[in-house]
Amino acid sequence: MNDKAIWGLIKAEEARQRDGLELIPSENYVSKDVLSAMGSVFTNKYSEGYPSFVGLDADDAEIAEKIMPSLRYYGGQENTNRVERLAIGRACRLFKADHANVQPHSGAQANNAVYFAWCEVGDTILGLDLGHGGHLTHGAPVTQSAKVYNFVRYKTTKNGDLDYDEIECLAKKHRPKIILVGFSAYPKVPDFAKVAKIGEKYGSLLMADMAHVAGLIAGGVHPNPFDFGFHVMTTTTHKTLRGPRGGLILSRGKVGNPLKKPEKTLENIPTLIDRAVFPGTQGGPLVHVIAAKAVAFREALQPEFKQYAKQIVKNAARLAEELKARGFQLVFGGTENHLILVDMVKSFGIDGKQFEAALDKIGLNLNANAIPNDTLPPFRPSGVRLGTPAITTRGLKEKDMVEIAEWMKLAFENREDDEKLEKLRLAVQAFSRRFPLPSDN
Ligand SMILES: *Cc1c(COP(=O)(O)O)cnc(C)c1O
């Protein structure tokens, strides 16, 4: 690369990733194949619209043929069409969906497109409160969508369930167009059947934002919302799913021609979504990223990915146990997925930011995070959030969780002793270097 400045930074970032352990639960390490697809010449191509199904690869024909005819606004699409069709077919197979839109540039874009597909300005959407584990895009007042739609938020109960009584109450009162189940900082498995029942009763679209747990669903260790009657599922592709940064919308329904405006019915959801992504909320798709998504979906369809997903959950359970044994107080007492929330104030009387800073110094990355009913402000919250998707990709197993919990405890005890922290950093570095990045191979 001729740009020495940028090349130097890429190399420095590689070293940072290799020499530390990534505990941020929304991050992961992609394969070399995913990286190659992302760095390909598909970035040069404009392909607004959707693919045709001429010349389809046989194994995806059945799913893809149901989807739509050729609809691109530029020529030269013989390869982009095949790429997008492969991505769509694989995504549908992975999540048992009738339709996939693989074009959203990010998870936020995917959510906005679904809101736009189904709601008019001012319509009500019911979602999980940000402070209780919901995502910014589920109606936080600082977002654009919160200006357009009327978001009403439900919370979690003391024992960590979604507050299903509150959901029912709010649904009855507001008759929301959408009931949204999804989270970025929630360590339990929601009861999709309960929410589906409420949604059916009040005529709401059932939407699941599975950005954090999509890889667990694909790997069969987390329930799939479609099995409970959900209509739409959005996700990012870069978290547990281990693909490139991007978004994905899956749905059940009849796949139609996106050039014809369909009636707003549940059956037409796939077509409404296609129109909402393009031209509704985005321009040209990122075909290089779609190619990388297709590669990641294929990887997630392999038997090894099931093992990976299982190991993420096993590692998280063990890490939770080891942390508890060392005095860390976990929100809701533990974890059922890949993610752990620690109440640092209750554990050791320091806030999440202080602990995040101490761990940064030794090469363990996690993030400060609000806990339910937090009394501290968002920029200095009471908790930290951590998880096992990335370290499981590196190849860490249950026994390695002992080491991580011990380092976390030592970092807390020595948080004001820079010399001790430096020694810990070297220990973490030596340990981490035993586990190469997937892109090193
Ligand atoms: C990460 C996340 C998103 C947003 O994804 P971006 O790609 O960062 O826009 C949306 N919803 C949930 C639940 C998430 O965890």
Side-chain angles (χ1 to χ4, degrees), residues 312-329:
I312 292 177
V313 175
K314 277 193 204 164
N315 283 351
R318 180 64 180 272
L319 183 54
E321 286 313 310
E322 297 298 332
L323 287 171
K324 281 202 272 191
R326 287 165 179 77
F328 289 84
Q329 305 266 333

Side-chain angles (χ1 to χ4, degrees), residues 156-175:
T156 53
T157 63
K158 275 211 175 61
N159 70 7
D161 290 333
L162 301 183
D163 194 336
Y164 302 103
D165 294 339
E166 192 188 16
I167 295 175
E168 164 105 43
C169 245
L170 292 171
K172 189 173 173 186
K173 183 169 166 202
H174 296 281
R175 306 283 161 151

Side-chain angles (χ1 to χ4, degrees), residues 46-208:
Y46 244 117
S47 60
E48 282 162 322
Y50 291 99
S52 80
F53 294 105
V54 184
L56 194 66
D57 292 80
D59 61 342
D60 287 301
E62 204 185 314
I63 296 162
E65 256 157 17
K66 289 196 294 191
I67 297 180
M68 71 188 64
S70 171
L71 299 160
R72 298 280 199 196
Y73 288 79
Y74 296 85
Q77 306 290 351
E78 57 268 36
N79 302 312
T80 52
N81 279 347
R82 293 170 72 94
V83 163
E84 189 163 348
R85 270 189 255 115
L86 276 169
I88 291 169
R90 289 169 182 177
C92 286
R93 226 178 305 142
L94 202 50
F95 294 102
K96 300 191 268 180
D98 294 330
H99 176 258
N101 189 304
V102 296
Q103 294 191 7
H105 301 332
S106 70
Q109 291 285 74
N111 285 345
N112 285 335
V114 176
Y115 304 154
F116 185 68
W118 195 240
C119 297
E120 301 299 327
V121 173
D123 279 350
T124 298
I125 301 170
L126 200 50
L128 179 61
D129 193 89
L130 179 65
H132 287 248
H135 189 259
L136 273 171
T137 56
H138 302 172
V142 293
T143 60
Q144 187 204 28
S145 49
K147 286 199 164 171
V148 181
Y149 311 109
N150 172 41
F151 281 91
V152 175
R153 266 87 56 81
Y154 58 90
K155 298 193 163 92
T156 53
T157 63
K158 275 211 175 61
N159 70 7
D161 290 333
L162 301 183
D163 194 336
Y164 302 103
D165 294 339
E166 192 188 16
I167 295 175
E168 164 105 43
C169 245
L170 292 171
K172 189 173 173 186
K173 183 169 166 202
H174 296 281
R175 306 283 161 151
K177 274 284 173 63
I178 297 177
I179 298 181
L180 171 54
V181 173
F183 43 84
S184 305
Y186 181 65
K188 296 191 64 162
V189 174
D191 190 334
F192 292 107
K194 262 192 186 155
V195 181
K197 221 172 174 181
I198 299 168
E200 279 153 26
K201 194 161 156 192
Y202 297 103
S204 309
L205 177 87
L206 292 160
M207 171 179 175

Side-chain angles (χ1 to χ4, degrees), residues 17 49 177 219 262 280 344 369 417:
Q17 293 188 11
K177 274 284 173 63
M344 287 307 296
N369 210 95
D417 183 343

Side-chain angles (χ1 to χ4, degrees), residues 4 20 51 65 98 113 120 141 166 229 233 237 347 354 361 418 423:
K4 294 282 181 293
E65 256 157 17
D98 294 330
E120 301 299 327
E166 192 188 16
M233 175 173 148
T237 47
S347 308
Q354 287 172 294
K361 287 187 187 163
D418 278 344
K423 276 203 186 119

